[in-house]
């Protein structure tokens, strides 16, 4: 399973990268706004800064909602750095744009996906990644992880190459559940990734090793 961090915060991205387990970054307009990145020039610089930290896939989302605007924006974003993945909403224009970019061999991430039908369209259009939002489905009493499993099974049955990028991950348990459901990627808050480290028996065991060593070696 690949780990992406879902943030535009450079410090958190650095922390995750230095853990040695990071495979990429996803951003979205809300995450960029949260960092106060204002204006296209600053946004583009910020994406390049992220690419230079992780040197792996970085999803940068278009703000246009029309096909022509998405194409223009996506071309600009992709030209910033080799690691940029063009993030497009799962709408009629977004799917058309995914098709356009996939036919040009450019990486795409089809986002705001909440159903198997949407995931099917993303795969047929040639999306590199599809981003089903697990947490937001759970928030309305639907089964976010269940959707991941359905999409993985459908992609495997038909042989689609699109990677399932579990998004809207709220906590460590979501990572484990999405892993078991067969997701290719989980894009997570830093805390959720760090939570994978936590086990009391590891702490207890290390403490005993050190205590036993100290008894003999001082
Ligand atoms: O970036 C897409 C997705 O991860 C957003 O998550 O927590 O805003 O539902 P969230």
């Amino acid at each position: 399973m690949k780990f992406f961090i879902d943030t535009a915060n450079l410090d958190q991205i650095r922390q995750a990268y230095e853990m040695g387990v990071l495979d990429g970054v996803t951003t979205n307009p809300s995450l960029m706004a949260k960092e106060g990145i204002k204006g296209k020039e600053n946004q583009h610089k910020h994406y390049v800064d992220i690419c230079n930290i992780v040197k792996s896939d970085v999803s940068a989302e278009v703000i246009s909602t029309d096909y022509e605007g998405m194409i223009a924006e996506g071309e600009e974003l992709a030209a910033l750095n080799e690691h940029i993945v063009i993030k497009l909403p799962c709408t009629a224009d977004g799917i058309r744009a995914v098709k356009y970019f996939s036919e040009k061999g450019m990486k795409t991430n089809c986002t705001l996906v909440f159903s198997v039908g949407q995931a099917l369209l993303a795969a047929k259009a040639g999306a590199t990644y599809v981003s089903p939002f697990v947490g937001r489905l759970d928030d309305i009493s639907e089964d976010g992880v269940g959707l991941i499993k359905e999409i993985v099974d459908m992609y495997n049955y038909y042989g689609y190459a699109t990677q399932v990028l579990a998004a809207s991950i709220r906590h460590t348990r979501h990572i484990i559940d999405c892993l078991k459901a067969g997701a290719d990627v989980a894009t997570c808050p830093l805390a959720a990734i760090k939570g994978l480290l936590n086990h009391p028996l590891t702490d207890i065991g290390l403490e005993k090793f050190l205590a036993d060593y100290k008894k003999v070696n001082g």
Side-chain angles (χ1 to χ4, degrees):
M1 174 182 250
K2 285 188 257 181
F3 279 153
F4 290 6
I5 187 169
D6 194 35
T7 184
N9 181 284
L10 296 181
D11 289 340
Q12 289 192 16
I13 292 168
R14 284 191 195 94
Q15 280 185 61
Y17 181 75
E18 285 160 10
M19 283 179 74
V21 297
L22 191 67
D23 301 297
V25 179
T26 53
T27 68
N28 65 40
S30 301
L31 293 172
M32 290 289 281
K34 186 177 173 185
E35 299 306 315
I37 314 294
K38 187 175 180 181
K40 182 156 74 169
E41 191 176 332
N42 291 328
Q43 289 157 10
H44 286 187
K45 180 187 179 305
H46 199 76
Y47 290 134
V48 173
D49 289 346
I50 295 173
C51 288
N52 290 336
I53 293 170
V54 301
K55 304 175 186 64
S56 54
D57 285 1
V58 175
S59 287
E61 189 161 345
V62 301
I63 201 71
S64 301
T65 54
D66 64 301
Y67 174 73
E68 291 73 19
M70 288 175 176
I71 299 307
E73 263 198 85
E75 297 276 14
E76 275 190 306
L77 289 169
L80 293 173
N81 188 285
E82 63 179 313
H83 297 300
I84 291 289
V85 176
I86 305 159
K87 203 172 185 184
L88 299 148
C90 192
T91 60
D93 286 64
I95 291 295
R96 275 185 69 200
V98 166
K99 182 69 174 176
Y100 171 88
F101 290 118
S102 66
E103 286 181 334
K104 294 183 71 176
M106 296 162 76
K107 285 188 172 182
T108 55
N109 178 356
C110 187
T111 190
L112 286 169
V113 167
F114 296 94
S115 73
V116 175
Q118 288 178 319
L120 173 61
L121 295 176
K124 287 183 68 64
T128 309
Y129 300 106
V130 67
S131 290
F133 279 29
V134 175
R136 294 192 192 184
L137 286 166
D138 289 359
D139 290 346
I140 60 167
S141 306
E142 292 194 20
D143 182 1
V145 174
L147 175 62
I148 298 293
K149 181 75 171 65
E150 282 184 283
I151 296 170
V152 167
D153 290 347
M154 185 259 287
Y155 282 8
N156 289 341
Y157 182 84
Y158 289 102
Y160 288 122
T162 298
Q163 296 176 60
V164 180
L165 194 168
S168 188
I169 297 290
R170 295 280 197 276
H171 44 70
T172 303
R173 185 71 228 177
H174 265 163
I175 299 177
I176 301 300
D177 291 341
C178 289
L179 175 151
K180 290 179 178 176
D184 300 286
V185 189
T187 192
C188 324
L190 179 59
I193 298 175
K194 284 185 172 179
L196 292 168
L197 282 167
N198 299 337
H199 199 292
L201 290 181
T202 303
D203 300 338
I204 292 165
L206 183 59
E207 199 172 317
K208 177 133 183 11
F209 285 162
L210 299 176
D212 290 345
Y213 176 87
K214 197 170 180 182
K215 280 178 196 165
V216 174
N217 298 278

